[in-house]
């Protein structure tokens, strides 16, 4: 069976209504929508942290609540919004915590590779609490990648809740370029909640627009980032232009 993670007609309280969505490896999907649209709730359902009131979420055809915690933790990793660990360890130890589902005599090589990949090598030896918000986000990303790391690369399902919110321009670009690169070989899927529509347009393969708990549009950036749709669901006066170096649509607020 082809690898997939699927939500089939899921509803949860008053936050989500009858959502159906299929995620496949090799893809970067951005969940977008105004505040309160249900993006973070959908992320929690897709990762198994919440159980739907109706409908079902499945991974490779098996309901998420039928997976054992250890087996599921080897398949998907989550970087939550403002996730603070209950410790104050050095950066390399915090990242190594991601290897917990994979008991091994020596994970040092994997941690070194991940630190270099995510730009965390320069943070070595510093305690987590001493880092800036952006630096903490980079360490949390590295820890999530460590959880999925097998044979020199991440494999599985990576979920991120507003991963660029505390990052400067350089690190936003570095993170999204990295996620795009890591999905390119078809063994990692990334699903991220993004508020910046222009970042989502530049790097996501597919946009999923939520509004008041419903999935109201889905597709490529050119299909979803249309002025009438954004005005209707965001309530903002916007204009759509084109990126100067690619055919990607970009969103501009009217003055």
């Amino acid at each position: 069976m082809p690898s997939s993670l699927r939500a089939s007609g899921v509803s949860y309280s008053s936050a989500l209504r009858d959502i159906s969505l299929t995620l496949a490896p090799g893809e970067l999907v951005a969940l977008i929508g105004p505040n309160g649209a249900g993006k973070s709730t959908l992320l929690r359902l897709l990762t198994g942290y919440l159980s739907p009131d109706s409908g079902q979420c499945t991974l490779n055809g098996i309901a998420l609540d039928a997976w054992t915690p250890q087996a599921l933790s080897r398949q998907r990793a989550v970087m939550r919004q403002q996730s603070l660990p209950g410790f104050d360890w050095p950066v390399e130890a915090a990242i190594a915590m991601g290897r917990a589902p994979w008991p091994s005599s020596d994970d040092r090589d994997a941690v070194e590779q991940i630190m270099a990949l995510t730009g965390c090598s320069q943070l070595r030896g510093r305690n987590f609490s001493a880092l800036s918000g952006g630096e903490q986000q980079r360490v949390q990303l590295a820890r999530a990648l460590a959880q999925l790391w097998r044979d020199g690369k991440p494999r599985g399902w990576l979920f991120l809740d507003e991963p660029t919110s505390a990052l400067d321009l350089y690190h936003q670009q570095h993170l999204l370029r990295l996620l795009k690169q890591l999905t390119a070989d078809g063994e990692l899927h990334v699903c991220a909640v993004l508020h910046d529509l222009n970042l989502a347009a530049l790097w996501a393969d597919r946009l999923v627009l939520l509004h008041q708990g419903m999935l109201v549009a889905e597709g490529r950036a050119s299909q979803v980032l249309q002025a009438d749709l954004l005005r209707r669901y965001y309530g903002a006066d916007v204009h759509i232009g084109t990126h100067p170096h690619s055919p990607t649509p970009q969103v501009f607020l009217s003055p």
Side-chain angles (χ1 to χ4, degrees):
M1 176 188 300
S3 181
S4 67
L5 197 155
R6 181 170 297 177
S8 302
V10 299
S11 297
Y12 183 81
S13 184
S14 60
L16 289 176
R17 288 178 281 169
D18 195 26
I19 300 287
S20 293
L21 180 67
T22 298
L23 307 178
E27 184 181 42
L28 198 168
V29 167
L31 302 181
I32 63 171
N35 293 338
K39 302 181 295 297
S40 294
T41 301
L42 178 57
L43 205 71
R44 293 186 182 102
L45 288 169
L46 291 171
T47 56
Y49 284 101
L50 293 177
S51 296
D53 295 331
S54 60
Q56 190 177 51
C57 291
T58 60
L59 174 58
N60 299 339
I62 302 171
L64 289 183
D65 58 11
W67 288 77
T68 66
Q70 184 177 30
L72 187 58
S73 67
R74 292 184 175 192
Q75 297 291 324
R76 66 94 179 93
V78 185
M79 176 181 158
R80 297 182 184 178
Q81 184 183 167
Q82 298 177 336
S83 176
L84 296 176
F87 58 81
D88 190 21
W89 292 353
V91 163
E92 55 271 30
I95 294 170
M97 285 185 62
R99 299 300 298 158
W102 306 91
S104 172
S105 59
D106 188 0
D107 285 319
R108 286 178 296 179
D109 287 346
V111 171
E112 289 296 325
Q113 292 172 42
I114 295 160
M115 289 181 68
L117 190 67
T118 55
C120 289
S121 297
Q122 62 186 338
L123 305 177
R124 183 187 309 278
R126 296 176 60 187
N127 279 8
F128 186 86
S129 66
L131 304 179
S132 70
E135 289 169 336
Q136 289 184 354
Q137 278 193 307
R138 284 156 55 196
V139 171
Q140 294 285 38
L141 172 64
R143 184 161 66 101
L145 288 173
Q147 185 176 328
L148 300 176
W149 202 261
R150 285 180 284 160
D151 302 321
K153 59 183 175 181
R155 305 165 190 263
W157 312 85
L158 177 62
F159 294 88
L160 311 169
D161 197 350
E162 297 189 42
T164 61
S165 61
L167 301 182
D168 59 29
L169 289 176
Y170 169 80
H171 287 103
Q172 287 180 8
Q173 184 183 61
H174 179 269
L175 179 142
L176 290 165
R177 279 179 174 171
L178 173 61
L179 295 177
K180 188 73 170 178
Q181 169 195 334
L182 292 175
T183 60
D185 67 0
E187 297 196 56
L188 179 72
H189 173 91
V190 174
C191 181
V193 172
L194 292 175
H195 273 297
D196 190 319
L197 300 181
N198 292 332
L199 292 179
L202 282 172
W203 277 286
D205 299 299
R206 180 160 48 117
L207 306 185
V208 175
L209 174 59
L210 301 177
H211 180 257
Q212 296 182 351
M214 296 182 291
L215 196 164
V216 294
E218 178 183 3
R220 298 186 304 276
S222 60
Q223 298 171 304
V224 176
L225 298 185
Q226 298 187 24
D228 60 336
L229 284 176
L230 298 184
R231 290 177 189 138
R232 183 188 315 162
Y233 295 120
Y234 280 87
D237 189 6
V238 300
H239 294 279
I240 305 299
T242 303
H243 191 278
H245 300 296
S246 78
T248 307
Q250 295 285 274
V251 180
F252 301 94
L253 292 173
S254 298

